[in-house]
Amino acid sequence: MKIEQIYTGCLAQGAYYITSNGEAAIIDPLREIQPYLDRLNRDQVKLKYIFETHFHADFVSGHVDLSKETGAPIIYGPNAECGFDCVSATDGQEFKLGNITIKALHTPGHTMESTTYLLIDESGKDYAIFSGDTLFIGDVGRPDLAQKATSMTQEQLAAILFNSLRTKIMTLADDVIVYPAHGAGSACGKNMSKETVSTIGNQKATNYALRANMTEAEFITEVTDGLLPPPAYFSMNVAMNKSGYESFESVLDNGMKTIKVDEFEAVVEETGALILDTRNNGDFSKGFIPQSVNIGINGDFAPWVGTLIADVKQPIVLVTEKGLEEEAVTRLSRVGFDSIIGHLEGGFDAWKNAGYEIDTVNRITPDQFASEFKVEENKVIDIRKETEYSAEHIEDAYNKPLAYINDWVKDIDPKEHFYLHCAGGYRSMIAASILQARGFRNFTEVEGGFNAIAKTTIPKSDFVCQSKVLK
């Protein structure tokens, strides 16, 4: 028996590849399936099952394409209704895989079909669980995502999750390994650990939601406290995972189409496409195609695209570094953005060398900012998360998290200058590009963000440990 966690940092997502005696199972696969097919062929094993822990909201699974290619059935838990052939397992149903057994444990609460898969080894011992979004390392799944689909409140779903954890998971032996679907950085929980594997015993000792004497009322209060609104693209991803989607190969073929420089403007105008520039923030600030939005591929690219663009059907044209076109298309497809028309041939350099108009962002160094800034005279907008801001910030700075820019942008006074920063420059350049695309130019973005600003003489609030802020 072999178990491999295939972790994708951009999505903070874990898929699992399990083999035993010539047979394989894959749990929560990513959209692009060729790496799985290559692995199956290399290991000379047959894919027997595709297990899905639930209808994912934060990414589009590869279950449909993988089943079509291999013939392996797609297994969901109870209550799953699919727009394609799938097996809705009963609670406790067992699936034989080589010399091992995988048992479906229905654990609703995050969603009503959420299911944890218990792996029983060759000797008949409970060995590991694949807990999906029911149990994370340090946290549990948020109970607010399935409210509309179930006509239930988040408090009602939290109560169901409380029961699932205590009757199905916490009753397992302490040495049972926990393999979750996500780690720190995912929007499917609020306090996940950077660790991506643990044990039942460790989680009982360290996970706030698994406290031994915790009451149901306490659980509901603590699990629902501080939940931020889910990104708008979540519901669209759920629909794709339930109903099916265009093949990844078709999406990739479209995205890999080149658009010549002299045709680029006409394509954008005719299709209503958004120009998505995936270069790093430093290069983008020095020059870009007017109206472009910068979300760098070397960061939390796909989640930020999903959060800020939201509509997965929005047509997109790409401007990338040479050689990164396929990577950009692949990552976009993982969160359901399939309407990629193509990419600019030759990238931004081709546009610039052809003599077309370019735009820039007014970016200054932290030292220059320190020399210019005067408390009570200058306005500063800090676009980090609330917890980051609460931990430490520039004195009198306003906190306007990037995730909500589509809400707070309407409150900006176009005649009032302000400074803009995040933690390191990645998010503030996203914000800068969005602001300029909407006609705002009354700001200065600070290179290096708060990490660099904190090293200057700028007055700051007292530091508070973020772990305390989160409690």
Side-chain angles (χ1 to χ4, degrees):
M1 175 185 73
K2 292 184 179 179
I3 301 172
E4 180 180 350
Q5 182 185 67
I6 305 172
Y7 199 78
T8 303
C10 181
L11 293 174
Q13 188 267 346
Y16 296 91
Y17 174 80
I18 307 163
T19 60
S20 176
N21 196 26
E23 295 181 333
I26 296 176
I27 299 177
D28 294 339
L30 280 184
R31 180 81 180 270
E32 65 277 16
I33 66 168
Q34 192 58 48
Y36 304 124
L37 299 177
D38 292 344
R39 183 61 184 271
L40 291 164
N41 183 60
R42 186 171 73 245
D43 293 345
Q44 296 186 321
V45 294
K46 177 180 175 57
L47 184 62
K48 191 173 182 181
Y49 302 113
I50 301 162
F51 291 103
E52 290 285 351
T53 55
H54 63 295
F55 292 120
H56 304 285
D58 60 313
F59 72 99
V60 178
S61 177
H63 55 323
V64 176
D65 283 350
L66 194 55
S67 181
K68 287 179 180 177
E69 189 67 28
T70 65
I74 302 168
I75 314 297
Y76 276 96
N79 305 319
E81 296 181 1
C82 310
F84 43 83
D85 289 337
C86 75
V87 176
S88 183
T90 57
D91 186 25
Q93 185 171 348
E94 296 184 349
F95 300 86
K96 298 297 181 182
L97 184 75
N99 299 325
I100 65 175
T101 301
I102 295 179
K103 184 177 182 179
L105 304 178
H106 188 210
T107 50
H110 174 65
T111 65
M112 290 308 292
E113 79 286 347
S114 285
T115 296
T116 294
Y117 294 102
L118 171 64
L119 188 153
I120 303 169
D121 68 16
E122 298 92 333
S123 67
K125 181 182 183 299
D126 293 348
Y127 182 82
I129 57 168
F130 302 89
S131 55
D133 286 18
T134 295
L135 175 63
F136 298 124
I137 310 306
D139 202 358
V140 293
R142 55 191 295 173
D144 61 322
L145 298 184
Q147 293 178 87
K148 291 182 180 179
T150 60
S151 299
M152 300 172 72
T153 66
Q154 65 179 19
E155 288 77 17
Q156 289 172 318
L157 285 162
I160 293 171
L161 180 59
F162 176 83
N163 182 68
S164 293
L165 290 164
R166 277 149 180 82
T167 63
K168 298 291 183 66
I169 289 180
M170 292 177 68
T171 56
L172 296 170
D174 284 353
D175 62 351
V176 171
I177 299 169
V178 178
Y179 290 115
H182 293 291
S186 169
C188 293
K190 61 179 180 179
N191 193 31
M192 285 180 266
S193 168
K194 293 180 180 179
E195 299 298 321
T196 61
V197 63
S198 185
T199 64
I200 294 291
N202 179 269
Q203 287 308 292
K204 286 180 180 177
T206 62
N207 191 321
Y208 77 97
L210 303 190
R211 292 198 309 271
N213 298 319
M214 192 178 208
T215 66
E216 181 179 297
E218 289 172 336
F219 179 89
I220 293 170
T221 298
E222 293 184 38
V223 167
T224 58
D225 180 51
L227 285 176
L228 300 176
Y233 77 101
F234 270 27
S235 61
M236 299 180 192
N237 277 195
V238 169
M240 293 175 73
N241 282 318
K242 291 182 72 170
S243 303
Y245 45 75
E246 187 176 1
S247 75
F248 168 72
E249 293 303 324
S250 176
V251 175
L252 182 60
D253 287 345
N254 288 333
M256 291 305 290
K257 290 177 181 176
T258 57
I259 304 172
K260 296 185 181 300
V261 172
D262 58 359
E263 300 172 349
F264 191 79
E265 287 183 300
V267 169
V268 171
E269 184 173 344
E270 290 170 7
T271 62
L274 179 145
I275 306 170
L276 181 59
D277 191 320
T278 68
R279 294 176 298 149
N280 72 66
N281 60 80
D283 290 338
F284 181 86
S285 69
K286 298 171 185 175
F288 58 90
I289 299 171
Q291 301 299 305
S292 297
V293 171
N294 173 236
I295 305 180
I297 199 166
N298 293 321
D300 291 334
F301 174 66
W304 276 121
V305 170
T307 298
L308 298 172
I309 299 176
D311 183 3
V312 297
K313 296 182 180 180
Q314 166 67 48
I316 292 173
V317 292
L318 293 169
V319 178
T320 74
E321 293 283 0
K322 186 176 180 180
L324 293 181
E325 300 88 357
E326 183 173 342
E327 178 72 11
V329 175
T330 298
R331 292 199 190 182
L332 287 170
S333 74
R334 288 174 181 167
V335 289
F337 285 83
D338 290 359
S339 300
I340 308 166
I341 296 169
H343 62 275
L344 177 61
E345 185 177 35
F348 175 72
D349 287 343
W351 177 272
K352 181 179 179 180
N353 293 338
Y356 287 100
E357 179 185 0
I358 66 172
D359 201 353
T360 61
V361 169
N362 182 21
R363 165 174 268 194
I364 61 174
T365 66
D367 288 337
Q368 186 176 347
F369 175 48
S371 68
E372 295 179 7
F373 177 71
K374 294 181 177 60
V375 178
E376 297 182 356
E377 290 186 24
N378 298 128
K379 183 174 183 177
V380 176
I381 294 181
D382 181 337
I383 64 163
R384 295 177 299 162
K385 294 185 294 185
E386 292 95 332
T387 51
E388 295 173 277
Y389 175 85
S390 297
E392 189 177 23
H393 57 265
I394 295 172
E395 191 174 314
D396 291 341
Y398 292 87
N399 184 216
K400 304 282 187 182
L402 174 60
Y404 309 124
I405 190 170
N406 291 320
D407 296 324
W408 57 257
V409 67
K410 64 180 180 295
D411 299 324
I412 292 177
D413 181 352
K415 297 179 181 179
E416 180 185 28
H417 177 269
F418 60 92
Y419 292 95
L420 181 73
H421 79 83
C422 62
Y426 180 86
R427 287 173 286 178
S428 56
M429 192 54 64
I430 295 175
S433 67
I434 292 172
L435 290 170
Q436 291 197 185
R438 298 187 184 184
F440 295 97
R441 309 192 72 88
N442 54 313
F443 65 89
T444 301
E445 189 262 352
V446 184
E447 181 181 10
F450 189 77
N451 294 340
I453 293 169
K455 298 174 183 177
T456 70
T457 58
I458 294 246
K460 300 177 289 293
S461 66
D462 292 335
F463 176 75
V464 179
C465 179
Q466 285 200 49
S467 62
K468 294 181 179 179
V469 172
L470 288 167
K471 291 181 179 179

